[in-house]
Amino acid sequence: MIEEDIYDVTIIGGGPAGMYAAFYAGMRDMKVKIIEGKDQLGGFLHTYAEKTIWDVGGLPPMKCSKLIEWLVQQANTFNPTVVLNCKVERFTRLDNGIWSMYTTGGKIHYTRTIIVAVGRGIAEIQKLELQEQMECEYENLHYTVQNPEHFSGKRVLISGGGNSAVDWAIELAQLARSVVVIHRNNEFRAMERNVSEMNNITDVRTPYSITQLHNNGKRIQQVEITHMKKSGQCGVGSG
């Protein structure tokens, strides 16, 4: 270990918190390294990169991809070292007070300070769970929206009750032939103004959950939803 290999601060996680920490540490004239497990900075924000973000202080509503771009640009202001596709497995403190961080691939990183900014960790999408096991991933079953134009003119069913489901319902209602939103509870966990708008422009059904998918090959043709209290079932067509 030589002095040039030692960083003042090493940040585990390249999401919004990690990137801002890198920027601020650079303001304090520190030598900074970011270690990120994925192949790009941005963290969980990439899950909904094409969704409009409304609630960032000091910024107008914008696409999340633009927010990621600005955060990355800010983080790189003072030229931190960025290590991608790398996970920290363990770290120990040496007798001289320096931390040695052991990462995948067997490499050792040395630092005086560690900031853990992992947030939700490496995001894993929560997939649809049905009583009957799905034999394959259907072509028209989506867990994230990468290209909103893909849904233009189609019949869309959204299952969920948080901000992501509500915001996508509003955005896709401008493109799709129709949008049905189902949620297992009567109350939505989203911004009240957006819930009101969603109720005005989409077909909202509560409390319902998806209980069965009827397919035609690798495409879903119809979705069976069940009332959570009455156990009544009805079908919703798929676009």
Side-chain angles (χ1 to χ4, degrees):
M1 177 179 59
I2 57 177
E3 184 66 25
E4 287 74 13
D5 294 329
I6 303 173
Y7 284 75
D8 295 313
V9 58
T10 297
I11 301 161
I12 305 174
M19 287 191 285
Y20 187 75
F23 167 74
Y24 193 80
M27 289 280 290
R28 304 303 297 267
D29 201 25
M30 294 180 175
K31 183 180 179 182
V32 181
K33 177 182 286 186
I34 301 175
I35 299 178
E36 165 58 37
K38 301 286 281 186
D39 61 356
Q40 57 188 337
L41 296 175
F44 191 76
L45 293 180
H46 286 286
T47 307
Y48 41 84
E50 292 304 311
K51 189 167 79 69
T52 299
I53 300 296
W54 291 83
D55 54 355
V56 178
L59 296 177
M62 66 177 66
K63 292 292 185 183
C64 190
S65 56
K66 176 57 70 173
L67 177 61
I68 295 171
E69 180 184 329
W70 284 0
L71 284 168
V72 171
Q73 181 177 336
Q74 182 187 53
N76 284 320
T77 301
F78 302 106
N79 301 312
T81 298
V82 178
V83 181
L84 301 175
N85 289 315
C86 186
K87 299 178 184 178
V88 176
E89 297 180 330
R90 61 187 179 92
F91 44 82
T92 60
R93 196 164 196 172
L94 305 177
D95 292 339
N96 60 0
I98 300 298
W99 290 95
S100 56
M101 307 173 66
Y102 299 83
T103 60
T104 49
K107 187 171 182 180
I108 304 175
H109 305 259
Y110 298 101
T111 185
R112 293 182 173 86
T113 304
I114 300 172
I115 295 178
V116 180
V118 296
R120 303 186 187 192
I122 296 177
E124 293 185 5
I125 296 173
Q126 183 179 353
K127 296 197 174 183
L128 188 64
E129 293 184 3
L130 301 175
Q131 290 183 350
E132 297 181 4
Q133 186 176 0
M134 290 191 297
E135 295 180 357
C136 63
E137 292 289 348
Y138 296 110
E139 294 175 356
N140 55 344
L141 174 62
H142 305 272
Y143 293 105
T144 62
V145 177
Q146 300 297 329
N147 179 14
E149 293 295 333
H150 175 79
F151 300 91
S152 180
K154 297 182 178 180
R155 293 177 294 171
V156 177
L157 172 68
I158 296 175
S159 175
N163 282 299
S164 184
V166 172
D167 291 352
W168 276 127
I170 294 171
E171 293 204 28
L172 295 184
Q174 316 305 318
L175 299 169
R177 188 197 320 176
S178 64
V179 175
V180 176
V181 181
I182 68 167
H183 181 38
R184 63 177 56 249
N185 298 313
N186 286 318
E187 300 296 327
F188 284 83
R189 308 178 311 278
M191 299 295 181
E192 291 81 358
R193 180 189 177 280
N194 290 348
V195 173
S196 296
E197 184 176 356
M198 175 190 68
N199 282 322
N200 289 332
I201 63 176
T202 69
D203 179 3
V204 178
R205 305 187 191 185
T206 62
Y208 280 92
S209 66
I210 296 175
T211 49
Q212 193 170 358
L213 304 176
H214 299 277
N215 65 300
N216 181 8
K218 290 189 176 181
R219 294 185 63 81
I220 301 169
Q221 192 167 36
Q222 191 175 48
V223 179
E224 192 174 283
I225 63 176
T226 300
H227 195 281
M228 299 298 293
K229 296 179 180 178
K230 299 177 182 178
S231 296
Q233 296 179 339
C234 62
V236 180
S238 170

